[in-house]
Amino acid sequence: MPPEIHGLIFDLDGVITDTAEYHFLAWKRVADEEGIPFTREDNEALRGLSRRESLNTILKGRPIDEATAQNWMDRKNTYYLEHLEELTPANLLPGVPQLLDDARARGLKLGLGSASKNARLVVSRLGMESLFDVIGDGYCVVNAKPAPDLFLWVAGALRVYPTQAIVFEDAEAGINAARAGGFFTVGLGNAANNQPTIWLPSLEKASLGEILARLS
Ligand code: B16
Ligand code: MG
């Protein structure tokens, strides 16, 4: 029996738009100011991690006190917000508008599950406020990805069971979170190694009909 899918839940950064570059530039500026080595390659490990977990990863065990940690995270966010001013609907990743339109036409509920505390601002800059039934962001749950809490929170608000929903994710932490919650997963790009239900290189040529058929 094919599963009954009633909802789709999308990660934001790396799935709907590519804000990873802005996160990188903002962390890089803080790291340079503080004399800490931080490369583009290091940045890949931060995909899907909360701001606090990102800082911990960048620090690689270097001890800093809480006031300093807060100061660095605040500065990173200030720099990140400057970059968000460049974001427009043209920054939607290819294939996203078509997929969302198709999902709507099929009567599926649509949710967003992002670790970012800036997710609502990003969604608004992309002109997508009215497209999602529920937006889960970095303020919704205490335990960030890879805990399943955020996706479970979004599914609950959508009134769908995890076994009736597909999570679209680009990051290891996100795939692990969705799998731990019992969701079907579509892993994009580098998420191939994390055993998603279905892997796609990107959403560019994705067909929702094919994705649903492959779950059967
Ligand atoms: P903020 P996602 C994540 O977004 C990013 O991938 C990750 O790099 C970032 O640290 C995190 O949001 C928190 O963002 O500092 O804006 O709260 O992939 O979960 O949409
Ligand atoms: Mg992501």
Side-chain angles (χ1 to χ4, degrees):
M1 274 273 285
E4 267 185 48
I5 297 297
H6 295 306
L8 306 182
I9 302 176
F10 294 86
D11 173 50
L12 181 60
D13 174 30
V15 173
I16 299 287
T17 189
D18 214 348
T19 35
E21 180 66 13
Y22 298 157
H23 284 294
F24 168 69
L25 293 172
W27 277 125
K28 179 71 180 148
R29 194 163 153 192
V30 175
D32 285 351
E33 287 165 357
E34 299 297 339
I36 290 184
F38 180 59
T39 64
R40 243 170 232 288
E41 202 175 46
D42 295 333
N43 190 59
E44 285 305 302
L46 308 186
R47 278 184 184 270
L49 299 187
S50 67
R51 200 178 303 168
R52 163 62 75 163
E53 267 314 305
S54 299
L55 176 61
N56 292 346
T57 306
I58 290 167
L59 287 172
K60 294 186 182 131
R62 280 182 184 81
I64 58 171
D65 62 37
E66 185 53 27
T68 307
Q70 286 300 335
N71 174 280
W72 290 18
M73 287 189 290
D74 288 349
R75 267 158 57 208
K76 182 267 176 175
N77 198 49
T78 301
Y79 302 152
Y80 180 65
L81 290 176
E82 286 173 17
H83 287 292
L84 285 191
E85 284 173 27
E86 300 161 22
L87 202 69
T88 72
N91 293 100
L92 274 176
L93 283 171
V96 169
Q98 296 82 344
L99 193 78
L100 293 181
D101 284 352
D102 192 2
R104 275 266 169 251
R106 290 168 187 263
L108 299 180
K109 294 178 180 169
L110 299 180
L112 187 89
S114 168
S116 176
K117 290 183 168 159
N118 297 297
R120 283 181 181 275
L121 175 61
V122 171
V123 165
S124 144
R125 302 269 336 161
L126 294 170
M128 301 183 84
E129 297 101 319
S130 58
L131 282 176
F132 292 106
D133 299 301
V134 169
I135 293 180
D137 63 13
Y139 291 103
C140 293
V141 295
V142 172
N143 300 313
K145 304 170 191 177
D149 304 30
L150 179 65
F151 291 132
L152 292 173
W153 186 93
V154 174
L158 288 175
R159 314 301 293 164
V160 299
Y161 290 115
T163 50
Q164 300 171 330
I166 309 174
V167 170
F168 291 74
E169 258 290 352
D170 70 313
E172 178 179 355
I175 294 283
N176 289 341
R179 291 182 62 206
F183 295 87
F184 292 101
T185 52
V186 171
L188 302 174
N190 290 336
N193 300 331
N194 308 112
Q195 294 176 298
T197 319
I198 294 170
W199 174 79
L200 296 173
S202 74
L203 289 179
E204 183 160 10
K205 295 195 174 92
S207 143
L208 184 55
E210 272 176 33
I211 290 170
L212 294 172
R214 282 176 66 184
L215 294 180
S216 314

